[in-house]
Amino acid sequence: MNIPPPATTVDGLIITTIEDRDIAEVIALWQRCGSTRPWNDPASDIALARKETNSTVLLGRNNGALVASVMVGHDGHRGWVYYVTVDPDRRYEGYGRVIMNAAEEWLRACGILKLQLMVRKDNAQVHAFYQSLGYYNQQTVTFAKWLDGREPTP
């Protein structure tokens, strides 16, 4: 189980780690943002992220309202982020940058110096967002295989 760091305030957001009482609200945010997929159970993803010390879910709240989140973890060598979300009604207020900075700081505190992420090829708006934060396209191809035998998913 993760030991949550103290809450920090950055550019109007209070950054904390997820707690049991936050799960339904976080899943609702992910769904509003279009970040969930039928083949991934968000509650199971959250439980897995909270199970060990190498991953967590960070939340950003403004005046008590959940406006941003990120699932962050590492394999001991590289960091990864998933479910990077900002409430659709609160986009373009800098919260995406703040929650990504929080993920980067969390990884640095774990001794991880490289962060990687996957973005769907056709999501040009999100590509531009990450490029504005200094991320670059590594020109790699990602291969996948379902180990339970199901058919490929996008």
Side-chain angles (χ1 to χ4, degrees), residues 72-154:
V72 58
H74 66 84
D75 59 15
H77 184 65
R78 293 179 188 92
W80 291 88
V81 293
Y82 306 90
Y83 295 105
V84 178
T85 55
V86 173
D87 186 309
D89 296 332
R90 303 298 302 269
R91 289 188 177 148
Y92 307 105
E93 296 181 33
Y95 297 144
R97 180 178 299 273
V98 173
I99 203 70
M100 280 301 295
N101 285 341
E104 291 173 9
E105 287 301 317
W106 188 91
L107 288 166
R108 279 188 202 96
C110 293
I112 304 300
L113 299 179
K114 185 176 186 182
L115 191 157
Q116 297 184 156
L117 53 96
M118 295 179 283
V119 178
R120 295 188 185 280
K121 201 175 219 179
D122 62 351
N123 199 339
Q125 186 176 12
V126 172
H127 290 209
F129 167 71
Y130 286 115
Q131 288 169 340
S132 78
L133 298 180
Y135 289 83
Y136 57 92
N137 185 337
Q138 294 188 111
Q139 303 298 320
T140 60
V141 176
T142 303
F143 288 89
K145 177 181 179 181
W146 285 102
L147 300 180
D148 62 2
R150 69 180 101 170
E151 292 298 313
T153 54

Side-chain angles (χ1 to χ4, degrees), residues 21-81:
R21 67 175 179 262
D22 301 314
I23 294 171
E25 184 180 21
V26 170
I27 291 171
L29 174 64
W30 292 357
Q31 290 170 335
R32 275 197 323 278
C33 292
S35 297
T36 58
R37 296 292 181 262
W39 53 86
N40 289 336
D41 174 32
S44 294
D45 289 347
I46 290 168
L48 186 60
R50 297 177 74 202
K51 185 177 178 182
E52 303 293 337
T53 59
N54 67 326
S55 58
T56 194
V57 179
L58 300 176
L59 308 180
R61 293 186 181 277
N62 179 269
N63 293 322
L66 178 63
V67 296
S69 73
V70 60
M71 180 182 290
V72 58
H74 66 84
D75 59 15
H77 184 65
R78 293 179 188 92
W80 291 88
V81 293

